[in-house]
Amino acid sequence: MTLISVIVPTFNRRHTLPRAVDSILAQTHRDLELIVVDDVSTDDTLDYLRAIDDPRLKVVALDTNGGAGRARNKGLEVAKGSLVAYQDSDDEWSVRFLERLHAGLQEAGPEVGVIYCGKLVYGRDQQRVFGPGRVAYMPDHDRKIVEGDIHREVLARPLVSSQTFLVRRELMEQVGGWHETIRKGEDWELSARLARITRYAFIEEPLSVTYLGPDSATHNELKGVGVMEAILKANADMYAADPALHAGLLLQIARTYQRSGLFAEARPYIRRAAALRSAPLRTAKLMLAQTLKLGPVWRKRAPVQAGPGQGSANR
């Protein structure tokens, strides 16, 4: 069998980590190594991990806290598998996750470097309304392209999340691993880089489950601006060749600011989008009108305050 390295970054997630660890060690694909990278937790995470009696588990304890991206890269440095998967420390997989993705990658052929699957999200619905009891399937069903050359689709919106894919290790090394300073949407940024150099395969079955809690990074929307800016910069050639695509992402940034009450920050992105030929001008005009109606564009409003613990990396 093929050795698969599964890398899990964690920080103060002792209360949810067993859910992730148990689902990984229970995989029907038994030839795996589980590398849990502790990012200087202050709870009893390390005590829990060191008590696990399974030779497939490796624990990497970092000396300084550097975020989920850095922790994932540290895990890759010690990984021995030719294939790599990532899991967050508060989510779980179906026991057939690795088996199904490994088989699918083999069937897809060498031109496919990444395979991913659908997932269920507990804690929000398909309309992005958050709350207990709400469930959504991802990727959204309105996605035009979900496999093959997905580069343009990924540049338009997030498609692949950290808990849903299996990748050839040499490709992770080729793109330089995870971005270490982005703290939300780092999987979107990574998938955009990978999609430049390889094709993707997709399994519709939801083999991964994500749980959104009060401390999930997903709630802090403003952190998403950083990943969108990074994607814009790294793919400037693609956006220059496709004004509508470029305008669409600019408007996403503007919406993010608007939802946090930062109308002045939204305005320049709306104007940049409207200035592009083939841009969705009606959408841009409506959004600009919204900034004028909902708040003075010259006054910076305070962002929506996150609840206790919100905004920490979802690892």
Side-chain angles (χ1 to χ4, degrees):
M1 295 182 72
T2 304
L3 177 64
I4 299 177
S5 298
V6 181
I7 299 171
V8 178
T10 189
F11 173 68
N12 286 346
R13 289 296 179 90
R14 170 63 179 87
H15 57 297
T16 62
L17 184 58
R19 180 168 62 202
V21 169
D22 291 347
S23 76
I24 295 166
L25 296 178
Q27 291 293 301
T28 54
H29 183 100
R30 303 296 295 171
D31 193 8
L32 66 88
E33 60 173 0
L34 169 56
I35 303 169
V36 180
V37 184
D38 182 71
D39 203 11
V40 198
S41 293
T42 56
D43 59 10
D44 60 343
T45 292
L46 284 175
D47 292 336
Y48 158 72
L49 290 170
R50 289 166 177 160
I52 296 175
D53 183 18
D54 192 313
R56 297 174 299 169
L57 172 64
K58 299 178 181 178
V59 180
V60 178
L62 300 182
D63 295 327
T64 57
N65 181 282
R70 177 173 174 266
R72 293 184 182 112
N73 287 337
K74 291 295 184 181
L76 187 61
E77 289 177 7
V78 302
K80 296 181 179 179
S82 59
L83 299 175
V84 181
Y86 296 89
Q87 179 58 291
D88 286 346
S89 58
D90 52 356
D91 299 327
E92 65 182 322
W93 286 336
S94 158
V95 293
R96 297 188 63 208
F97 175 89
L98 292 179
E99 176 191 342
R100 295 276 283 113
L101 268 64
H102 177 245
L105 192 60
Q106 288 184 311
E107 294 171 5
E111 71 277 6
V112 172
V114 185
I115 185 170
Y116 71 110
C117 67
K119 75 171 181 178
L120 296 179
V121 180
Y122 284 92
R124 80 165 178 84
D125 60 22
Q126 217 69 46
Q127 288 71 46
R128 297 191 63 80
V129 177
F130 295 86
R134 299 182 181 274
V135 182
Y137 172 87
M138 293 183 66
D140 295 340
H141 289 293
D142 63 350
R143 300 296 192 250
K144 297 177 181 178
I145 301 172
V146 294
E147 62 182 353
D149 181 0
I150 67 168
H151 192 203
R152 188 187 186 282
E153 189 73 9
V154 168
L155 294 184
R157 58 187 67 83
L159 189 65
V160 184
S161 60
S162 57
Q163 319 90 339
T164 64
F165 72 92
L166 181 68
V167 59
R168 301 187 193 278
R169 178 189 178 139
E170 67 266 22
L171 294 180
M172 284 299 298
E173 294 172 342
Q174 184 177 337
V175 300
W178 294 78
H179 199 299
E180 296 191 0
T181 60
I182 293 175
R183 297 303 178 95
K184 178 179 186 266
E186 62 268 30
D187 42 9
W188 183 7
E189 190 275 338
L190 173 65
S191 62
R193 281 186 283 132
L194 285 169
R196 289 185 73 100
I197 64 172
T198 191
R199 297 173 68 84
Y200 278 61
F202 176 64
I203 295 175
E204 187 173 6
E205 182 182 358
L207 298 167
S208 180
V209 180
T210 294
Y211 297 89
L212 299 183
D215 59 346
S216 294
T218 307
H219 294 289
N220 194 328
E221 290 203 65
L222 281 178
K223 286 189 175 182
V225 172
V227 68
M228 287 185 274
E229 290 282 15
I231 290 172
L232 275 173
K233 182 178 180 180
N235 298 276
D237 56 334
M238 291 284 291
Y239 289 111
D242 194 331
L245 180 68
H246 189 183
L249 193 60
L250 291 172
L251 292 177
Q252 284 193 60
I253 296 174
R255 288 190 189 96
T256 301
Y257 279 126
Q258 284 183 339
R259 284 192 292 264
S260 294
L262 299 175
F263 301 105
E265 283 77 359
R267 185 173 61 170
Y269 289 95
I270 299 171
R271 288 181 168 172
R272 285 169 60 188
L276 292 167
R277 295 184 184 276
S278 302
L281 293 178
R282 177 175 172 79
T283 300
K285 289 178 181 178
L286 289 173
M287 290 181 64
L288 184 57
Q290 184 183 31
T291 66
L292 293 169
K293 180 180 179 181
L294 296 182
V297 294
W298 60 85
R299 187 179 72 218
K300 181 176 179 179
R301 290 191 176 187
V304 176
Q305 295 298 314
Q310 289 184 8
S312 61
N314 184 19
R315 329 177 201 171

